[in-house]
Amino acid sequence: MRSLAFGGAFFAWPYHAGVAAYIQAKRILSAGSRIYGTSSGAAVATMLACGMDVATQGLELGLRADRDGLGEARTPFLRPRRFLAPHVEEMQRALPVDAARRADGRLFLTIRRLPLLRQIAISQFPTRESILDVLAAAIAVPGLTVLFAHRSPRFGACVDGGPGVPNDTRPGATTIRIGVFQRRDYDIRPSKPFTFDQIFGVPSEARRRAMFTLGYEDAARHLDAAA
């Protein structure tokens, strides 16, 4: 049984989306597979776990939300409320009505609770709104998507879960780890390393679509070789 772990990606999240789209297209996951995500990787993990079509619906809503959040500014930093709002609105509209049933016990989103910054992975989602709440916490980067922290009704003050996510430690499970940095613990990572501005800036839409394509191709290369 295969599970997935999407690491933090900042604005290179389309790479994760490309990997997810290939996995979705080839029906690689089973009913018992778990999907882990942190930071912008949490958004892609949520799309995949909730049954959204990542290649069309997921990619397009993400690109649209980035564009609307950025507006005429050159950087999204230091304008968190304006940048976050379209992302929340897009996910509110896109999540299926049965998202909680699909995600509960299958989706694991990593957050850090204040004041100790202890990392925890949330996997229980009693309602559709609870998914949105935890996702907002998982992408709560101070100065980017929140002023200081996300205030969750269930978990209190929280921030972004950080770059790493856990493995599926159940007997017989293997975890495919996906990241945008050149780290050896990532099974799937860019075959053409990303530059600083591709990850921490907001590249043009054409470059981000190219990231998606590269993620799809890298996933095919890795998973076909492992088959």
Side-chain angles (χ1 to χ4, degrees), residues 61-223:
L61 78 83
L63 292 175
R64 191 163 55 243
D66 279 353
R67 182 193 65 224
D68 293 346
L70 190 62
E72 299 300 320
R74 299 183 64 180
T75 175
F77 288 94
L78 303 179
R79 51 204 301 274
R81 288 195 181 96
R82 180 168 180 177
F83 186 69
L84 179 63
H87 293 80
V88 174
E89 292 166 3
E90 290 282 357
M91 288 298 289
Q92 284 177 330
R93 287 192 292 265
L95 279 181
V97 294
D98 63 344
R101 178 187 63 79
R102 293 170 180 258
D104 196 52
R106 176 177 173 84
L107 175 64
F108 289 70
L109 298 183
T110 300
I111 65 174
R112 290 185 184 273
R113 298 179 69 180
L114 299 179
L116 300 180
L117 289 177
R118 184 171 67 89
Q119 187 186 68
I120 56 174
I122 308 301
S123 61
Q124 301 302 310
F125 302 100
T127 65
R128 186 174 178 274
E129 289 68 30
S130 68
I131 299 174
L132 293 167
D133 172 53
V134 178
L135 178 58
I139 62 173
V141 180
L144 177 58
T145 55
V146 292
L147 285 175
F148 300 108
H150 171 72
R151 181 68 63 173
S152 166
R154 294 171 65 194
F155 304 107
C158 308
V159 294
D160 183 292
V165 287
N167 288 323
D168 186 344
T169 57
R170 292 175 298 169
T174 60
T175 306
I176 302 170
R177 301 183 66 81
I178 305 110
V180 299
F181 300 97
Q182 296 300 307
R183 286 173 37 175
R184 292 185 178 180
D185 59 331
Y186 290 142
D187 299 296
I188 302 175
R189 58 184 184 269
S191 54
K192 299 175 183 177
F194 292 153
T195 60
F196 182 90
D197 68 296
Q198 284 180 291
I199 297 173
F200 299 105
V202 184
S204 68
E205 184 171 314
R207 291 180 74 191
R208 282 182 288 165
R209 289 186 184 278
M211 289 181 184
F212 174 88
T213 300
L214 184 64
Y216 194 97
E217 292 172 347
D218 286 346
R221 188 177 300 109
H222 173 81
L223 294 169

